[in-house]
Structures are given as structure tokens and as C-alpha cells.
Amino acid sequence: MAQSDKDLTVFQTRIRQLILRFQELKQENKDLYAMIEDNEQQIEELKAQLAERNKEYEAMKMAKMMTISDGDLDGAKEHVASLIRNINKCIDLLSGEK
């Protein structure tokens, strides 16, 4: 009977060890799920920030395009005025030759 008592004690010890290991793993699992939840929340926040930055970028790009367009318009006006002056000079020269 002594051997079976010894076997029973070893079995009980192993069961206690398994229970303790199960509790450790259960806590680790809980911590990992909490970490996953925090990471998912952070990902959502970063996605929202990225969307906001993309909107700001598009607005800045549009403003830059409008600025360039205004500058191009002024440059084009100056170029046309220069061409008109050159044409007027040519007309004056041709008129003077007759």
C-alpha cells in the first residue's frame, strides 16, 4: 500500500503543477489579449491620423496648384503683353518704311 500512496502523492503533485501552469498560461493569455486590444486601438487611432494627414496633404496640394496657376496666369499675361509690344514695334517699322 505504501507504493500506491507514493504514486498517489506524485500524481497529486503533478496535478497541482499542471493547475499552476494552467493558471500562469491563463494569465499570460489574458495579458496577450489585452495587448492585442491596445494594439488594435492604436492602429485605429493611427489610421484616423493618416486619413486626416491625407486630407491636409490634398488640401495643401490643391492650394499649391492654385498658386502655381495664378503665377502662370501672371507670367502668361506678361508674355502676351511683350508679344503685343513686339508686334506694335514691327507695325511701326513697317509703317515707317512706306
Side-chain angles (χ1 to χ4, degrees), residues 30-61:
K30 182 180 176 182
D31 294 343
L32 290 172
Y33 273 110
M35 190 184 309
I36 288 171
E37 186 175 323
D38 289 343
N39 287 342
E40 287 176 348
Q41 183 179 3
Q42 186 178 12
I43 287 169
E44 290 303 316
E45 290 172 3
L46 290 172
K47 283 181 180 179
Q49 288 179 3
L50 177 62
E52 183 64 29
R53 297 299 185 269
N54 281 336
K55 286 180 186 176
E56 290 174 4
Y57 172 72
E58 290 299 322
M60 290 175 68
K61 190 166 76 171

Side-chain angles (χ1 to χ4, degrees), residues 4-88:
S4 63
D5 287 340
K6 185 177 176 182
D7 289 343
L8 184 59
T9 303
V10 169
F11 181 72
Q12 287 175 343
T13 303
R14 298 277 187 218
I15 294 294
R16 284 189 195 108
Q17 289 173 344
L18 286 173
I19 290 171
L20 287 175
R21 182 65 180 143
F22 171 75
Q23 289 172 347
E24 290 171 2
L25 290 173
K26 189 176 177 182
Q27 182 61 42
E28 183 180 352
N29 192 29
K30 182 180 176 182
D31 294 343
L32 290 172
Y33 273 110
M35 190 184 309
I36 288 171
E37 186 175 323
D38 289 343
N39 287 342
E40 287 176 348
Q41 183 179 3
Q42 186 178 12
I43 287 169
E44 290 303 316
E45 290 172 3
L46 290 172
K47 283 181 180 179
Q49 288 179 3
L50 177 62
E52 183 64 29
R53 297 299 185 269
N54 281 336
K55 286 180 186 176
E56 290 174 4
Y57 172 72
E58 290 299 322
M60 290 175 68
K61 190 166 76 171
M62 183 64 70
K64 183 69 175 172
M65 288 173 59
M66 294 177 81
T67 302
I68 290 171
S69 296
D70 291 344
D72 290 344
L73 183 61
D74 292 339
K77 285 180 181 179
E78 289 176 16
H79 184 64
V80 168
S82 174
L83 289 174
I84 291 172
R85 283 191 299 272
N86 286 337
I87 292 171
N88 287 336

